[in-house]
Amino acid sequence: MPNEIYLYGTVGASFWDEEYFTAKTVRELLDGRSGALTVRINSGGGIATEGQAIYTLLKDYPGEVAVVVDGVAASAASLIAMAGDTITMRLGSWMLIHDPAQMFGYGRGTADDHRELAGFLDKVGDAYAEVYASRTGKTLEAARDIMRAETVYLGSEAVTEGFATDYEGSVQSAAAASFDYRLYAHAPVDAREASERLGLTPDRLAIVAAIAGFPLQKGVQAMPDPITPAPVAPIAAVPPVAPVAPVVTLAPVLMSAVQASKLHQMASRLNVDAAVVAKAVEDNLSFEAALDAVNAAWKMGTDDLPMHGRPTARIMRDERDTRREGMTVALHAQMARKAPAADTAREFMEMSIVDMAAICADHRGPIRNAGERIRVIEAASHSTSDFPAIFENALNKRLADAYVAAAPTYREFSMEMPFNDFRPHPVANVSEYPTLLEIKEGGEIKFGTISEKKETVSLASYGRGLTVSRQMLINDDLMALDRVINTYGQTVAAFEDATFYAMMISGSSSNGPTLVETGRQVFNTTDLTRASSGGAIDVTTVSAGRAGMRKKTSLSGQDVFVVPSILLVGPDYETIAEQLVAPIQAQQASNVNPLSGRLRVVVTAKITGNAWYLLSDPSRGSNFMYGFLQGQGGPRLRMEEPFGTQGTSFTVEHDFGCGAVDFRFGYKNPGA
């Protein structure tokens, strides 16, 4: 399944029967997604503040965003397009950039009202200009000039001016989204002519302009549709009367443009449908009466509200969210063979994968054979249903279970650090603080400096694809599916272990990486972090290692107070190590085991031969660090192909980094 979303129609709300999308629906579309994302845009614009909110949502998306302008990106939609890491214009597509505006002519208000609105529009315009300037490299004033001129760019022109990165001249654009392009004085002629067929009434044009923030083009401001009047019949003794043009009588408008804008913002915050505001303006309600209407709609909920348009992506209701959560928890609980963690899952605990897919796909009727099961899975996987997300989320939960249970051994003695990005991260030395000095009577406190380390650790991305056979899904074999995911969770943990130990025992004679601070490997005889000659694990050799660690000092010469607490060995030395630290019920003082309770044995097969290590508990300090991308504490699974001829394809991705940062918190003996 391609990881893409379609933003077609009006930005924010539609006041005629066409498509629209809002920041709320975009937020729901992005929920749970990861990895590279394609955003396809075909929109004539809409509410400026809504466009800004959607732009921010896309800029905050953690993966790479590729924007493709399928038809048109005008007004607020052009700002949304700027969120792309890449912006591709298709052949025949165009982009319109202009100043945000509000219709003044048909709103009642004081001079202060209009000054307030003008100030608001200036701020919105400046905010838009900052985005355009940042994308194109133009100055802020140059961007404002482009906006004031209401500038239209064709595909190649948008690339030349920096508003797009690519021009796809071989792929024809889609038809421009339905929209009243007569609102733009400089829109292409064919788009404006097509708008004549929308059937908008003059009053509706005024409503759109007042709420959505569009200026009415000169010549069509609240004027009635052209009417050809019939001649007035002559009256006796009176000359014939020439045809009379119709007289337009506009009812007084009780709500100012500023109030209409504020009303719309309030409705948006309350998740009240924009149609309620539109109807309040259309019915010429006072601001107070319109507030009552919005409040009443909020109390009623959204189910009974009149819909003057349809969203590009349907808004999920509370019960749909509840069902999605319940199915996710139920699938996870079934695979884990335990009780569900939430009551919402209980009604789905007896259902199979196919049963849940049938509900998500709105399948009606019995499912009697394998062929019908295949069709149900295909319908649920290739539609706009929740099934792919439910299935993916449940598998991610099981992957996390298996990964956490694996508990790789390197974490016993290394410190975790968060990574904000993939750049090398400098490591702060927790032991490097200036010592205290006496404060003489009437004296001042002297400031010292913290000695800084030069070591860095970097994050790397890893991934692998895997496939669940179609037979597993058709046969509802959850246990087989769980075995696949469980094994992969353990595999990721084993990969971390292997990656870490490969770093730890790298270099000459497996003495570890070379540190920037010393120019020497982590384990060496000069820094007393390696025994000069190998020896078996006994009280004498371990005591020598403990003494070497206890004598370590910081960069500024202070005692570090390293406490050796872990004895790390390979499988060949496991029993000997356990004997060394085992308690002995001695009858004589000379027979007491001095190491009993002092050391904890950690065993890893990554250490071969007789080498063994003494290490500090990571809470007191460590020679090594590891970490993950912030917010991603483990592997993540993403569905690539919900249901293909060979089954369901997934990718498992993981961001992990590790490295050596010190030498003071460990000791190596090559063994004997």
Side-chain angles (χ1 to χ4, degrees):
M1 176 191 292
N3 197 25
E4 61 183 23
I5 62 175
Y6 286 77
L7 304 184
Y8 277 27
T10 304
V11 179
S14 177
F15 299 94
W16 51 90
D17 296 327
E18 299 298 337
E19 291 181 326
Y20 68 88
F21 56 91
T22 67
K24 181 175 184 291
T25 53
V26 172
R27 184 176 68 247
E28 289 171 348
L29 287 168
L30 296 177
D31 184 33
R33 291 181 184 265
S34 61
L37 173 72
T38 299
V39 180
R40 311 192 79 93
I41 295 178
N42 191 4
S43 170
I47 299 172
T49 51
E50 200 80 7
Q52 177 68 54
I54 296 170
Y55 166 83
T56 302
L57 286 170
L58 294 177
K59 287 297 288 184
D60 290 345
Y61 179 75
E64 182 175 336
V65 176
V67 168
V68 179
V69 179
D70 281 339
V72 57
S75 189
S78 69
L79 186 89
I80 295 171
M82 299 299 107
D85 295 295
T86 61
I87 306 169
T88 300
M89 303 290 292
R90 291 176 59 176
L91 177 64
S93 64
W94 52 281
M95 186 180 289
L96 184 145
I97 297 170
H98 77 138
D99 253 2
Q102 191 97 12
M103 199 280 286
F104 279 90
Y106 290 92
R108 184 170 66 93
T110 66
D112 286 340
D113 288 331
H114 290 281
R115 276 190 286 269
E116 179 185 351
L117 180 56
F120 169 74
L121 292 175
D122 280 338
K123 290 179 181 178
V124 174
D126 289 343
Y128 268 47
E130 287 179 357
V131 173
Y132 293 135
S134 175
R135 161 60 69 174
T136 62
K138 300 179 186 297
T139 65
L140 191 63
E141 188 55 36
R144 292 297 276 124
D145 288 342
I146 291 171
M147 294 168 66
R148 294 185 187 103
E150 189 181 285
T151 308
V152 174
Y153 294 112
L154 299 181
S156 58
E157 295 172 336
V159 174
T160 301
E161 292 297 320
F163 290 98
T165 59
D166 300 286
Y167 176 53
E168 204 170 64
S170 60
V171 183
Q172 183 63 43
S173 67
S178 294
F179 190 84
D180 187 20
Y181 296 100
R182 294 173 295 175
L183 299 173
Y184 304 133
H186 299 150
V189 174
D190 56 347
R192 293 174 56 192
E193 289 177 347
S195 299
E196 296 289 345
R197 297 189 291 273
L198 280 176
L200 295 178
T201 65
D203 288 341
R204 185 60 58 85
L205 276 172
I207 294 166
V208 173
I211 297 179
F214 295 132
L216 285 175
Q217 182 196 342
K218 184 178 180 181
V220 296
Q221 291 187 4
M223 291 297 291
D225 293 329
I227 300 174
T228 303
V232 179
I235 302 176
V238 179
V241 179
V244 179
V247 177
V248 180
T249 303
L250 294 176
V253 178
L254 300 181
M255 194 187 313
S256 71
V258 173
Q259 290 172 328
S261 179
K262 290 180 177 178
L263 188 68
H264 178 78
Q265 292 171 16
M266 187 191 78
S268 178
R269 286 195 298 270
L270 294 175
N271 289 327
V272 171
D273 195 285
V276 175
V277 181
K279 192 172 189 306
V281 177
E282 191 172 18
D283 292 346
N284 211 19
L285 298 181
S286 67
F287 182 62
E288 290 74 17
L291 281 174
D292 291 340
V294 170
N295 188 51
W298 172 67
K299 290 180 179 179
M300 289 175 60
T302 58
D303 288 345
D304 299 327
L305 296 179
M307 295 299 292
H308 291 262
R310 58 186 178 85
T312 302
R314 294 187 181 279
I315 299 175
M316 302 175 186
R317 299 181 301 174
D318 290 342
E319 56 266 32
R320 183 170 173 178
D321 290 336
T322 301
R323 185 184 72 185
R324 182 168 60 181
E325 177 193 2
M327 286 185 176
T328 300
V329 174
L331 275 176
H332 173 245
Q334 288 181 43
M335 287 189 286
R337 295 175 290 281
K338 64 181 183 181
D343 291 338
T344 54
R346 298 194 181 279
E347 64 176 298
F348 305 110
M349 284 299 293
E350 301 302 320
M351 292 186 183
S352 67
I353 299 175
V354 175
D355 291 334
M356 295 185 198
I359 293 174
C360 292
D362 293 326
H363 175 80
R364 299 291 185 268
I367 304 171
R368 292 161 293 200
N369 52 50
E372 290 180 351
R373 287 198 292 273
I374 291 174
R375 285 190 288 274
V376 167
I377 292 286
E378 286 178 336
S381 299
H382 292 290
S383 68
T384 58
S385 79
D386 292 331
F387 179 68
I390 291 169
F391 193 40
E392 182 179 279
N393 289 342
L395 295 184
N396 263 307
K397 288 178 181 292
R398 283 303 290 152
L399 180 66
D401 291 345
Y403 169 74
V404 171
T409 58
Y410 74 87
R411 298 186 189 177
E412 299 276 351
F413 56 87
S414 58
M415 295 177 65
E416 183 177 359
M417 66 179 295
F419 288 88
N420 297 321
D421 50 43
F422 292 89
R423 293 173 294 184
H425 279 51
V427 178
N429 190 347
V430 296
S431 65
E432 301 303 326
Y433 291 92
T435 189
L436 296 176
L437 298 176
E438 180 184 0
I439 304 174
K440 302 294 185 180
E441 184 177 355
E444 61 177 1
I445 298 177
K446 295 183 179 180
F447 286 82
T449 59
I450 298 175
S451 301
E452 295 182 355
K453 293 183 65 61
K454 300 178 181 179
E455 315 301 333
T456 61
V457 181
S458 297
L459 195 67
S461 292
Y462 305 91
R464 194 64 185 267
L466 67 153
T467 300
V468 174
S469 71
R470 63 202 300 262
Q471 287 84 359
M472 282 188 190
L473 294 179
I474 295 168
N475 295 339
D476 286 332
D477 196 346
L478 275 177
M479 296 306 101
L481 181 60
D482 185 58
R483 284 193 295 274
V484 172
I485 300 303
N486 190 66
T487 301
Y488 223 84
Q490 297 176 29
T491 299
V492 174
F495 165 78
E496 283 183 16
D497 226 29
T499 302
F500 181 90
Y501 283 109
M503 174 274 300
M504 177 180 168
I505 61 178
S506 63
S508 176
S509 301
S510 300
N511 289 328
T514 299
L515 297 171
V516 175
E517 177 187 344
T518 63
R520 296 181 287 273
Q521 291 177 269
V522 173
F523 302 105
N524 65 86
T525 56
T526 302
D527 295 316
L528 302 180
T529 58
R530 182 183 182 276
S532 56
S533 60
I537 299 177
D538 57 30
V539 172
T540 301
T541 56
V542 170
S543 295
R546 296 175 75 197
M549 292 178 67
R550 294 267 191 189
K551 296 174 182 178
K552 294 294 184 296
T553 58
S554 68
L555 287 171
S556 54
Q558 301 177 47
D559 292 330
V560 180
F561 302 110
V562 178
V563 180
S565 58
I566 294 172
L567 178 57
L568 178 69
V569 300
D572 295 333
Y573 263 20
E574 181 175 4
T575 302
I576 297 174
E578 289 176 342
Q579 288 176 337
L580 182 71
V581 301
I584 297 176
Q585 302 297 324
Q587 299 299 318
Q588 300 179 25
S590 59
N591 293 333
V592 172
N593 180 6
L595 300 177
S596 176
R598 304 289 184 181
L599 296 173
R600 175 165 52 90
V601 176
V602 175
V603 183
T604 175
K606 302 302 178 184
I607 296 177
T608 59
N610 298 328
W612 52 273
Y613 300 80
L614 288 174
L615 300 163
S616 169
D617 187 277
S619 64
R620 304 294 296 270
S622 176
N623 287 348
F624 307 100
M625 283 193 169
Y626 73 95
F628 314 97
L629 190 64
Q630 210 163 37
Q632 301 283 350
R636 55 197 180 278
L637 180 148
R638 181 158 54 89
M639 186 181 294
E640 294 290 339
E641 177 60 44
F643 193 86
T645 56
Q646 300 302 315
T648 300
S649 298
F650 301 91
T651 57
V652 175
E653 300 170 12
H654 191 41
D655 302 315
F656 175 71
C658 61
V661 297
D662 212 322
F663 64 90
R664 298 170 176 84
F665 302 94
Y667 177 87
K668 176 183 176 180
N669 189 303

